Amino acid sequence: TLASAPITSAPAPAPAPVAAPAAGRAAQAVAMARAQIGKPYQWAGAGPGAFDCSGLVMYAWAAAGVSLPHYTVSQYQDTTRISQSQLQPGDLVFYDTGDGAQPGHVTIYIGGGQVITADSPGTYIKVVPISWDGTPMGFGRVG
């Protein structure tokens, strides 16, 4: 006689996630920032044709579904402080530009000790070493 195989039902599919995991959102933000390389710096620029530093960060993270303000100090306040050793792609690097205790410049970390920056008038968005814009004063993780 043939032994009949037990009847089993397929497992229920896992529910779809409500939002992409943090690493997935960070990868989306980095990809959008990379897509802006070569575009010009423009003070108060928020894209898509030109950017300032916080405008680039805001635009890149908006592509990942995260709303950030268009102001470096507010981005600093709206992110979780991490150490340089904890940096992951998508994290923000803040720089003191000599205007006191608040950061005056922000970049997006992309890994390997490099950031994407929108520096100053007359420059273009580019990938540079993390120390290009000076000594970082803080690091932030977008929540």
Side-chain angles (χ1 to χ4, degrees):
T1 66
L2 292 172
S4 56
I7 298 172
T8 59
S9 61
V18 174
R25 290 194 310 268
Q28 289 176 306
V30 168
M32 181 55 74
R34 282 188 179 280
Q36 310 317 308
I37 292 171
K39 292 185 178 179
Y41 174 94
Q42 178 183 355
W43 187 83
F51 299 89
D52 68 3
C53 64
S54 62
L56 176 63
V57 167
M58 180 182 73
Y59 188 85
W61 273 99
V66 177
S67 177
L68 290 173
H70 187 182
Y71 180 46
T72 300
V73 173
S74 296
Q75 290 176 357
Y76 185 77
Q77 293 168 344
D78 287 358
T79 55
T80 301
R81 296 286 68 74
I82 58 171
S83 68
Q84 186 167 355
S85 66
Q86 294 173 305
L87 278 174
Q88 296 176 2
D91 288 338
L92 307 185
V93 181
F94 296 93
Y95 300 84
D96 178 359
T97 56
D99 297 331
Q102 299 294 340
H105 183 59
V106 61
T107 63
I108 300 176
Y109 186 73
I110 60 170
Q114 296 188 308
V115 295
I116 296 177
T117 188
D119 278 328
S120 56
T123 65
Y124 296 88
I125 297 169
K126 60 189 172 283
V127 174
V128 297
I130 199 169
S131 60
W132 177 268
D133 291 313
T135 302
M137 67 168 286
F139 308 92
R141 178 146 304 147
V142 177

